[in-house]
Amino acid sequence: MDTVYDDSSSIASLLRARYGSRLPSGLDELTGPEHGMVELPLHIVWSGLRIFDLDLPRQRMSLYRTVLAEGLRDDLCGFLNRDILLDLWPVLHKLIGRAVKEVWEEAFPELCP
């Protein structure tokens, strides 16, 4: 007899653990740039646009989505800025994956809409 496993809950748990392990201790650790051009390394963006202009709203949002999904802890701290994240979150939390959203909002209640 074959056993059927509910893979969706185990995948969700793995994703939450993955994103949770990368979190900074506090939002104050997010000291990334507020303006100008930012080039993301290949381990974050391996194809497509790698250079973003933070002064252009769509590119800023795209950079934040990408870094939240693919960045390691040092990347989060170095590329994201606390004030910008707080400003973008009301829209950004609708554009990122569920696991990322839940992990960040549980860790940092000030992000909750």
Side-chain angles (χ1 to χ4, degrees), residues 23 26 29 47 59-62 82 85 87 90 97 103 107 110:
L23 289 175
E29 290 185 30
S47 68
Q59 288 191 24
R60 182 184 322 116
M61 186 70 73
S62 182
R82 176 195 175 278
L85 180 67
D87 184 53
V103 165
E110 59 265 47

Side-chain angles (χ1 to χ4, degrees):
M1 176 186 274
D2 291 333
T3 305
V4 177
Y5 295 99
D6 181 6
D7 287 339
S8 63
S9 65
S10 62
I11 291 171
S13 295
L14 286 173
L15 286 172
R16 289 176 57 79
R18 172 185 172 197
Y19 293 119
S21 69
R22 300 174 180 188
L23 289 175
S25 300
L27 293 182
D28 289 341
E29 290 185 30
L30 304 179
T31 58
E34 295 181 46
H35 300 284
M37 305 298 283
V38 174
E39 182 174 359
L40 295 179
L42 286 172
H43 72 270
I44 298 176
V45 179
W46 48 93
S47 68
L49 184 65
R50 290 187 49 223
I51 299 173
F52 299 84
D53 185 345
L54 292 178
D55 297 314
L56 298 175
R58 283 183 173 210
Q59 288 191 24
R60 182 184 322 116
M61 186 70 73
S62 182
L63 178 136
Y64 273 67
R65 285 180 65 196
T66 302
V67 173
L68 285 168
E70 303 298 336
L72 303 174
R73 185 181 185 285
D74 288 345
D75 300 320
L76 297 169
C77 294
F79 291 113
L80 303 182
N81 178 280
R82 176 195 175 278
D83 294 335
I84 293 175
L85 180 67
L86 289 169
D87 184 53
L88 294 179
W89 196 259
V91 174
L92 185 60
H93 85 276
K94 298 174 187 175
L95 303 174
I96 57 178
R98 176 180 284 173
V100 176
K101 174 190 176 296
E102 289 175 353
V103 165
W104 278 79
E105 288 183 349
E106 285 174 15
F108 309 110
E110 59 265 47
L111 291 174
C112 294

